[in-house]
Amino acid sequence: MIFKQLFDHETWTYTYFIADPITKEAVLIDPVKSRINDYVALLDEHNLKLKYTLETHVHADHITGSGLLRQRLGAQTGVSQLCGAVGADMQLQDGDVLEFGGEKIKVIATPGHTKGSVSFLWRDRVFTGDSLFIGGCGRTDFQGGDAGAQYDCITQRLFTLPDETLVYPGHDYQQRWVSNIMQERTTNPRLAGKSREEFIEIMNNLNLPKPRLIDEAVPANRYCGLDEDERQDAVSLREATRPERVTTSAQDLVSMAKQQITEISVDKVKQLLTEGGITVVDVREESEYAAGHLDKALPIPRGVLEFKVGTTPELADKSKTILVYCRTGGRAAMAAQTLQSLGYLNVLSIAGGYEAWQKSLQ
């Protein structure tokens, strides 16, 4: 087997490259968009075909290269279905097993840093993303983070792996490369000897600055790192390269979200706007909003919704009616579901989205 731990100096991100030299199939975990040419050169060097690009979560500190790798090489993208990354080919779930060559990679749900964080277990190595670091762990104060959930998944899922299991994190800021489960269980200062309550207290008082690239990275990573000009090509390619494995598709994910929210007609929207007392949120990208939007709508793109709700005065009252919309309804369904999970009691979505609204005005 071929295994390489790659490092991006700009974002302190580790990317992992695994390949079977017999079948020539390869996998990348947490690729960085700015390093695409390096990955392609590595594949060419060993005459390999990239089968999967896998994400441990929707990153806030760098833009993933998975979307461009799919476009250039046909690799299938995989991310947890709880991340809301509608651009991914495979919406991964806990316990899923991905096969390449004669190898298997198992998905382990490790929520806490983000709601959709996962780790990947391959042979005697676990790739923990931002869930577990060497001598630390990822923060839990944004993107649906939950310190209690992080403690539980680390202590009950990761720390129960064999002692000698090698731990490969998503980042390290002290130039350390690898640890193992025994070392982290016994010496990690945030976890070793700490109760659940003590860990939560530590995590709730880190007071860390906002990641520098968060406003750019998260929205892009919802679409596998693609900007708006690259996304249409991605949709076409995804239709032509469906994964052989049975997984929850992006379309299915949106359909499930729509089943859990309340969609209302354009006529009902007009009635509510006339009556007043409703907050309207446009979850499209900035360029879409600039091209036209509902009057007084708040521009909060889906990718940064979790971060903006707490600092948006109009959304302070969780009992107030919130109306969300996007172009046709898919992103709005995911956004409405997110708001419900954050405790908003009356979230509505426009059936057919902004396109339906425009048609009603013609």
Side-chain angles (χ1 to χ4, degrees), residues 166-234:
L166 298 175
V167 174
Y168 285 97
H171 306 275
D172 189 83
Y173 304 99
Q174 299 181 43
Q175 297 184 320
R176 296 169 297 189
W177 293 80
V178 63
S179 180
N180 67 22
I181 289 298
M182 175 178 283
Q183 178 172 311
E184 296 310 313
R185 188 173 60 240
T186 57
T187 68
N188 190 302
R190 288 199 182 159
L191 292 145
K194 300 292 192 302
S195 68
R196 191 175 192 269
E197 292 71 23
E198 289 172 329
F199 177 80
I200 292 173
E201 179 69 15
I202 291 171
M203 299 306 293
N204 287 347
N205 290 280
L206 294 179
N207 298 317
L208 298 172
K210 185 174 76 169
R212 177 174 57 88
L213 296 176
I214 187 170
D215 291 338
E216 176 185 358
V218 172
N221 289 335
R222 302 271 190 201
Y223 295 91
C224 300
L226 300 178
D227 61 33
E228 293 180 54
D229 292 335
E230 296 165 333
R231 290 173 192 170
Q232 189 57 47
D233 289 339

Side-chain angles (χ1 to χ4, degrees), residues 14-263:
Y14 285 128
T15 297
Y16 298 96
F17 179 84
I18 312 170
D20 181 349
I22 305 300
T23 64
K24 300 297 185 180
E25 291 185 332
V27 174
L28 277 168
I29 298 174
D30 289 341
V32 178
K33 190 171 186 177
S34 61
R35 313 293 293 193
I36 292 291
N37 290 337
D38 295 338
Y39 307 145
V40 173
L42 184 59
L43 290 162
D44 289 344
E45 177 187 348
H46 296 280
N47 191 29
L48 300 168
K49 175 180 174 57
L50 185 62
K51 185 173 184 179
Y52 299 127
T53 59
L54 307 177
E55 305 289 348
T56 54
H57 61 296
V58 167
H59 307 277
D61 44 29
H62 72 270
I63 297 177
T64 177
S66 62
L68 285 185
L69 287 166
R70 175 174 59 198
Q71 288 185 337
R72 290 181 61 171
L73 306 175
Q76 297 167 8
T77 61
V79 65
S80 167
Q81 67 171 354
L82 299 179
C83 284
V86 297
D89 299 299
M90 299 179 295
Q91 301 288 333
L92 303 176
Q93 302 179 53
D94 182 47
D96 281 348
V97 175
L98 297 159
E99 298 184 4
F100 69 103
E103 299 293 315
K104 295 181 179 180
I105 295 177
K106 183 179 180 180
V107 179
I108 302 174
T110 49
H113 173 63
T114 71
K115 185 177 180 181
S117 290
V118 298
S119 297
F120 296 107
L121 180 65
W122 172 64
R123 293 191 174 187
D124 64 345
R125 306 169 195 200
V126 62
F127 306 96
T128 55
D130 288 16
S131 295
L132 178 63
F133 291 153
I134 298 173
C137 60
R139 62 196 292 175
T140 59
D141 57 337
F142 57 69
Q143 250 178 307
D146 184 324
Q150 187 170 42
Y151 182 88
D152 293 341
C153 77
I154 292 175
T155 58
Q156 298 173 24
R157 304 297 303 278
L158 296 179
F159 281 177
T160 57
L161 293 171
D163 288 350
E164 63 274 14
T165 303
L166 298 175
V167 174
Y168 285 97
H171 306 275
D172 189 83
Y173 304 99
Q174 299 181 43
Q175 297 184 320
R176 296 169 297 189
W177 293 80
V178 63
S179 180
N180 67 22
I181 289 298
M182 175 178 283
Q183 178 172 311
E184 296 310 313
R185 188 173 60 240
T186 57
T187 68
N188 190 302
R190 288 199 182 159
L191 292 145
K194 300 292 192 302
S195 68
R196 191 175 192 269
E197 292 71 23
E198 289 172 329
F199 177 80
I200 292 173
E201 179 69 15
I202 291 171
M203 299 306 293
N204 287 347
N205 290 280
L206 294 179
N207 298 317
L208 298 172
K210 185 174 76 169
R212 177 174 57 88
L213 296 176
I214 187 170
D215 291 338
E216 176 185 358
V218 172
N221 289 335
R222 302 271 190 201
Y223 295 91
C224 300
L226 300 178
D227 61 33
E228 293 180 54
D229 292 335
E230 296 165 333
R231 290 173 192 170
Q232 189 57 47
D233 289 339
V235 170
S236 299
L237 182 58
R238 189 165 62 250
E239 291 299 318
T241 57
R242 290 292 185 185
E244 297 176 4
R245 250 174 28 87
V246 177
T247 60
T248 305
S249 69
Q251 280 187 322
D252 290 340
L253 193 65
V254 171
S255 296
M256 288 188 289
K258 286 189 174 183
Q259 293 172 10
Q260 300 176 39
I261 67 167
T262 301
E263 287 190 312

Side-chain angles (χ1 to χ4, degrees), residues 279 298 300 308-318 320 322 344:
T279 299
L298 301 173
I300 308 179
K308 298 294 186 181
V309 292
T311 59
T312 304
E314 294 88 343
L315 297 176
D317 184 357
K318 293 188 176 182
K320 188 176 181 180
I322 309 296
Y344 288 86

